[in-house]
Amino acid sequence: MSAVSRKHILLPVLVGLLLVSPSLFTGLQLDDYYHWGLVTENPLAKPGNDHAGLFKLFTFLDGDPARTQWLVDKGMLPWWTLPEVKYMFWRPVSELTHGIDYLLWPQQPIIMHAHSLLYFVILLLVTYQLLQRWLSGRPLVWAYWIFCLSYTHGFAAGWLANRNAVIASLFVALTLYYHDRWRREQQGRFHLAALVCFVLSLLSGEIGVSAGLFLLSYALCFETSNARQSLTLRKLRHLLSIVPYGVAGMLWLLARGLMGYGAEGSGHYVDPADPGHFLATVSERYLLLANGLFWSIPPEFAGLMGDTLPVVIALAGMLLLGLVFKPLLSTSPLARFLLLSILIMLIPVCATQPHSRLLIAASIPLAALAGLYLGLRWEHRQRETGLRRMLSPLASGLLIISLLVLSPLLLVLESVQMKIAMDGLLNRGAMNLQINPDQQSKVHVLINPPVSSVAGYIQGVRAYHGLATAKAVIPLVSASGELELHIKPGGALEITSQKGLYEATQESLLRSSAHALQPGDRLTVAGIDASVLAVDDSGIPVKVQFQFPPERDKYVFHLWHGGKPVQCELPPPGTRLTLTRNTESC
């Protein structure tokens, strides 16, 4: 390998690794504690009487109402959870890597994160080998820098529980690498290697489906063939070359379905097996993902821009790129292959809430296409005329700012996003929760935590760090705004918030709008009856009454104050309180 080629590979990798290196110190977050509990068989972190072990790490909810109720009573789920909700994923390859962590170094998170970054570096190196098969010179340099600095890698590389996205994307790249070698060199061993990598991508995470779409684009746009054959026959032969992958994919889908994996009743996860619901979801989420990929607008934060602005940016951006890319697309089968790959790889990831972590596989063809365009930009400049000549510098500038300025800055933030968010929402509160020795057999009630997952993971956080735990820690509501608490005669608590008693977008994970609560619905949690008195137009409760059993001394109440739960003695019946994040006592 020449010194120049080593520099072109190693420098972008080192810079990309440096930008995500803060993730080494993010520790365990959310699902990591659940995974630790399953592997180590800790009863406070594993769900119900399930058999713990490596191959249930992503079996969060299986649709069994009895198991769901057990989780609700322990506080691992909030009372408004749909009893039949299901989201469980088949990721045995990724689960094995977590098993290594939690069995060999369960109290050394920095080693776990180094383990994740190892797969990240391998992904970067493999992607260079893939890009090198299609690009050379300036386009290759542009493309590789864009890929190594893509912010879409940060969250997946930085959160242990999302390692599956990195591993699945690694096998996506390997699938295309070996498939391309097979089609060009006609050696069967490369075909076998591509098939194995395709299966491993599917068994690492659902993002592995991207490999099949990548292959489809390759067959339609970039496949080499005998020019003496008719176009129809050539395309047919191209499509036949990916039939073995289709068979493997169908077997994976069949096995996945027979074992019960999939999603039902959740507002976050939509199973493509329900085509009507899935297509409606695609129309809502696709443009947010496109903005995230091309313009480095993290999809998880796009909602802060309102409903209209992201759509305007996406449509204007696509129109601009379509205009300036047109000459390249008309002359380059490679460019057409890459663009089609991007457009169809965004479709399956619409099955869950838009987030940057979903874009990691699609960032491969995006980097290649942007690198191809920017690398050839100056060569094509002299042949451009009219409007295209005026808009090309604008498009080039926007892509450079997005992919090589904003993206690396976001890469650092994305790699530590979970720690930044969870330290304030969960970790400090979990560590600060006061559980006296005589209170460990009681149910601790969090009246107003910021999100329900706070209560769901507090026990696991405390167990991991060797702190005292309780019989259960349950949330009543999870609203960031002002609440009105009314202690009614008989001791029932009536809680009201015109903005809703839980946040619609985040909490819809556990109950979709198709199963919205209605006034009069009654649910139970740890012996407490929750009666829905009023809901808003979205079916989110705005007034709920909580009736406690006569044995009131079994419960300990806490307010969430500035990230620190504080115990409170409820005032006498008839009292009305206004609760905010600054309320220090009852």
Side-chain angles (χ1 to χ4, degrees):
M1 184 185 295
S2 68
V4 174
S5 62
R6 283 198 299 269
K7 179 182 69 175
H8 287 165
I9 296 177
L10 296 180
L11 185 57
V13 170
L14 290 175
V15 174
L17 181 59
L18 177 65
L19 293 178
V20 299
S21 61
S23 68
L24 288 168
F25 309 101
T26 57
L28 271 61
Q29 304 293 338
L30 284 185
D31 293 345
D32 301 334
Y33 292 105
Y34 170 68
H35 291 166
W36 165 78
L38 281 181
V39 176
T40 61
E41 300 191 18
N42 185 291
L44 292 171
K46 73 185 185 73
N49 296 318
D50 291 358
H51 295 292
L54 295 182
F55 297 109
K56 283 198 173 185
L57 299 191
F58 296 96
T59 301
F60 298 105
L61 291 168
D62 60 5
D64 178 6
R67 178 173 180 265
T68 300
Q69 186 61 52
W70 188 94
L71 294 168
V72 169
D73 290 336
K74 293 295 290 183
M76 297 178 75
L77 297 173
W79 57 266
W80 57 81
T81 302
L82 179 70
E84 299 80 15
V85 68
K86 179 174 80 170
Y87 54 97
M88 47 191 294
F89 310 111
W90 190 25
R91 302 168 179 172
V93 173
S94 297
E95 288 167 334
L96 282 172
T97 72
H98 292 298
I100 293 173
D101 288 337
Y102 296 119
L103 290 175
L104 297 185
W105 37 76
Q107 297 295 324
Q108 299 294 328
I110 193 169
I111 300 179
M112 302 180 196
H113 284 284
H115 188 191
S116 288
L117 294 186
L118 173 63
Y119 299 113
F120 172 66
V121 169
I122 296 173
L123 170 63
L124 298 184
L125 295 174
V126 167
T127 300
Y128 181 84
Q129 299 301 318
L130 177 61
L131 294 175
Q132 194 177 37
R133 297 194 63 79
W134 304 332
L135 303 171
S136 60
R138 285 181 180 172
L140 177 60
V141 174
W142 279 101
Y144 197 50
W145 273 103
I146 289 170
F147 182 76
C148 288
L149 303 186
S150 176
Y151 83 101
T152 64
H153 308 160
F155 195 89
W159 185 24
L160 295 174
N162 201 209
R163 180 190 292 164
N164 62 88
V166 176
I167 297 175
S169 298
L170 166 61
F171 285 117
V172 168
L174 284 170
T175 299
L176 263 292
Y177 172 78
Y178 285 118
H179 181 78
D180 186 68
R181 291 201 66 175
W182 170 53
R183 299 307 291 165
R184 294 184 189 222
E185 301 173 28
Q186 293 297 310
Q187 296 187 41
R189 59 192 176 98
F190 293 130
H191 189 202
L192 177 61
L195 276 169
V196 170
C197 289
F198 178 58
V199 172
L200 290 175
S201 72
L202 295 174
L203 296 179
S204 299
E206 290 68 30
I207 284 179
V209 172
S210 299
L213 300 176
F214 221 162
L215 291 165
L216 177 62
S217 300
Y218 185 98
L220 291 174
C221 301
F222 195 55
E223 178 72 88
T224 57
S225 62
N226 188 335
R228 291 174 295 181
Q229 297 172 337
S230 68
L231 178 62
T232 302
L233 184 57
R234 291 203 304 269
K235 292 300 180 187
L236 179 60
R237 289 175 61 87
H238 299 167
L239 291 173
L240 287 175
S241 70
I242 63 172
V243 167
Y245 304 99
V247 172
M250 293 301 295
L251 291 174
W252 169 75
L253 279 174
L254 179 62
R256 179 175 177 269
L258 290 174
M259 290 187 288
Y261 291 99
E264 295 175 9
S266 171
H268 280 201
Y269 299 104
V270 179
D271 200 316
D274 182 357
H277 191 191
F278 178 69
L279 290 176
T281 303
V282 169
S283 66
E284 298 173 2
R285 299 172 175 176
Y286 190 91
L287 291 179
L288 296 181
L289 293 167
N291 277 339
L293 195 60
F294 284 98
W295 306 119
S296 298
I297 302 174
E300 61 268 33
F301 300 126
L304 301 176
M305 303 166 62
D307 296 330
T308 303
L309 186 56
V311 175
V312 172
I313 293 175
L315 295 178
M318 288 182 176
L319 182 63
L320 174 64
L321 293 179
L323 180 64
V324 299
F325 280 7
K326 184 177 179 182
L328 181 64
L329 294 171
S330 63
T331 58
S332 171
L334 173 61
R336 294 193 292 272
F337 152 55
L338 296 172
L339 180 59
L340 179 60
S341 297
I342 294 168
L343 295 178
I344 63 176
M345 287 169 74
L346 293 181
I347 295 174
V349 295
C350 289
T352 187
Q353 286 287 95
H355 198 285
S356 60
R357 62 192 173 92
L358 305 173
L359 300 173
I360 183 169
S363 68
I364 299 174
L366 180 279
L369 179 62
L372 185 64
Y373 171 73
L374 293 172
L376 299 178
R377 170 77 187 84
W378 287 269
E379 296 178 20
H380 293 163
R381 176 67 173 161
Q382 300 303 318
R383 296 194 293 272
E384 294 175 342
T385 59
L387 182 62
R388 185 173 293 113
R389 186 175 180 84
M390 295 172 56
L391 292 179
S392 288
L394 174 63
S396 300
L398 289 176
L399 283 175
I400 291 172
I401 292 172
S402 167
L403 303 177
L404 291 172
V405 179
L406 290 178
S407 191
L409 294 176
L410 287 169
L411 179 57
V412 181
L413 295 176
E414 289 279 341
S415 71
V416 294
Q417 185 187 131
M418 283 298 289
K419 180 174 177 59
I420 293 173
M422 289 301 114
D423 275 357
L425 290 177
L426 168 63
N427 299 329
R428 284 197 294 269
M431 304 293 280
N432 289 328
L433 180 66
Q434 182 181 352
I435 302 178
N436 299 326
D438 62 333
Q439 296 174 333
Q440 294 185 30
S441 61
K442 297 184 178 183
V443 174
H444 288 247
V445 178
L446 302 181
I447 296 175
N448 62 335
V451 289
S452 68
S453 56
V454 164
Y457 288 100
I458 274 182
Q459 297 275 72
V461 173
R462 294 180 65 85
Y464 181 81
H465 292 285
L467 300 174
T469 56
K471 179 180 180 181
V473 179
I474 65 169
L476 294 188
V477 301
S478 71
S480 58
E482 187 176 277
L483 302 173
E484 182 180 296
L485 175 64
H486 179 200
I487 294 86
K488 303 186 73 174
L493 303 186
E494 183 180 278
I495 304 181
T496 305
S497 172
Q498 295 306 314
K499 294 184 178 180
L501 295 179
Y502 55 82
E503 202 280 317
T505 300
Q506 293 300 322
E507 303 293 355
S508 67
L509 168 68
L510 300 169
R511 180 182 288 268
S512 72
S513 58
H515 302 276
L517 290 166
Q518 301 296 327
D521 285 347
R522 297 184 61 184
L523 303 97
T524 63
V525 48
I528 306 166
D529 288 327
S531 300
V532 179
L533 303 180
V535 300
D536 64 15
D537 294 337
S538 302
I540 306 299
V542 295
K543 180 183 290 188
V544 175
Q545 177 176 289
F546 298 94
Q547 182 66 56
F548 289 79
E551 303 83 8
R552 188 67 168 268
D553 60 351
K554 295 193 307 183
Y555 302 93
V556 180
F557 295 90
H558 302 260
L559 289 179
W560 196 271
H561 170 65
K564 181 179 180 180
V566 291
Q567 289 191 21
C568 67
E569 292 291 336
L570 293 177
T575 305
R576 291 181 182 270
L577 298 174
T578 298
L579 304 180
T580 68
R581 288 283 169 262
N582 296 319
T583 303
E584 298 184 31
S585 70
C586 299

